[in-house]
Amino acid sequence: MRSVRETAEVQVDSWLTEDDERSLANDVLDGLTKPFKELAPKHFYDARGSELFERICELPEYYPTRTELGILHAQAAGIVAMTGAGELVELGSGASDKARLLLDAMRDAGTLARYIPLDVSETVVNDAAQILREDYEGLRVHGVVGDLERHLEHVPDPEAAPRLVALLGGTIGNFAPGTRRGVLSKIATLLGPEDRLLLGTDLVKDVHVIEAAYNDSAGVTAEFNRNLLHVVNRELDADFDPEAFDHVAFFDRRHEWVEMRLRATRPCSVLIAELDLRVEFAAGEELRTEISTKFTRERIESDLEAAGLELESWFTDDQDLFAISVSRLAG
Ligand code: AVJ
């Protein structure tokens, strides 16, 4: 006889293929041979990069994480009451402290059934699955290891309870406007009529506040930025001297985004052995490593609308630093 235990079950599916493992190689080949060199920010997050990002979140200058947590803390119960949600789909889940606030609210409301974290890091998904299953009795976890630009169709179908699909932390701000609309449209396909999208976005504000958040005095963001070169060195057998690059971060008012760059302080000739590629940097030449968009409510509403979504609630902090919007399929 098979013993049936009344405990939660965990399932984790990985959709990453060998091609995806080549994605750094492809991005480096493409990005470092462009007239203005660039690399995608998703490659920051190896183990050391993830650790540095967690340290960034604790810096006094870096307001987004703690502000978003404060908003969630204040609003989670209301959001769950308003939606009746019993399932959380978290895209780019990372460390699961934000998920916990929503799962707590669902547990308190008696609706909690399932958690579906999606992240490119298998470790992140496995760890979240393991820890949350232990902490929430009866919770089922169905993890998806994949890229939110390409693997959303592998998010399991909804069950009876309404779901919240959450894209928090301001991650959506990493995408350029056109890509962003595509991502939001794909996310909309995960929603049924009773489901909601929770989107965390950093807001346009005093440029000094924004720029300080990306130029912290302890230099953690600079290390995080340079870590990208360590990733390329290790993964593609390259010989970047990360110390030859300065961290640059500034707010571009016209595009309303922060740009992070790495600036060569001297001429650098870099061999990327695995790609059989030599890349030359002139002294002062810059490599763009990230954009981080700062939003207005109008911009979010129009992006949502373009994706077939309708803004339902707008939650912010008392200084209007950061916002969590709740939206649903346009009726
Ligand atoms: C994780 C993309 C939201 O854009 O603020 C923090 C990453 N980069 N400091 C952001 C980041 C530099 C962060 N996101």
Side-chain angles (χ1 to χ4, degrees), residues 275-286:
L275 299 178
D276 212 357
L277 176 70
R278 185 164 283 282
V279 177
E280 309 287 347
F281 286 82
E285 187 175 346
E286 295 177 342

Side-chain angles (χ1 to χ4, degrees), residues 13-21 23 42 89 91 116-120 143-156 186-187 189-190:
D13 309 328
S14 176
W15 296 93
L16 296 183
T17 64
E18 222 163 277
D19 270 2
D20 296 300
E21 276 147 29
S23 113
K42 67 175 169 189
V89 180
L91 305 175
I116 303 170
L118 179 146
D119 201 279
V120 272
V144 181
V145 182
D147 184 328
L148 74 89
E149 280 184 82
R150 283 170 306 127
H151 299 113
L152 286 186
E153 74 258 34
H154 300 301
V155 169
K186 274 189 234 157
I187 292 175
T189 68
L190 300 177

Side-chain angles (χ1 to χ4, degrees), residues 45 53 56 62 64 169-171 174 213-214 221 224 260 290 292 294:
Y45 301 93
F53 179 63
I56 288 174
Y62 193 75
T171 305
N174 270 176
Y214 294 84
T221 308
F224 173 74
M260 288 214 313
E290 181 170 51
S292 181
K294 307 305 161 193

Side-chain angles (χ1 to χ4, degrees), residues 24 33 71 80 97 112 128 142 159 188 250 258-259 264 300 306 316 331:
L24 175 66
T33 57
I71 299 169
V80 169
D97 42 351
L112 180 61
H142 189 149
E159 296 177 334
F250 62 94
V258 168
E259 254 188 69
I300 292 165
T316 184

Side-chain angles (χ1 to χ4, degrees), residues 21-22 24-25 28 43 46-47 228-238 272-275:
E21 276 147 29
R22 300 296 303 159
L24 175 66
V28 166
H43 301 300
D46 66 342
L228 194 57
L229 302 181
H230 290 284
V231 169
V232 176
N233 280 350
R234 187 187 61 235
E235 298 297 323
L236 301 176
D237 194 13
I272 300 157
E274 198 156 304
L275 299 178

Side-chain angles (χ1 to χ4, degrees), residues 72-88:
L72 268 183
H73 189 78
Q75 307 297 345
I79 292 169
V80 169
M82 170 177 105
T83 57
E87 172 165 300
L88 174 64

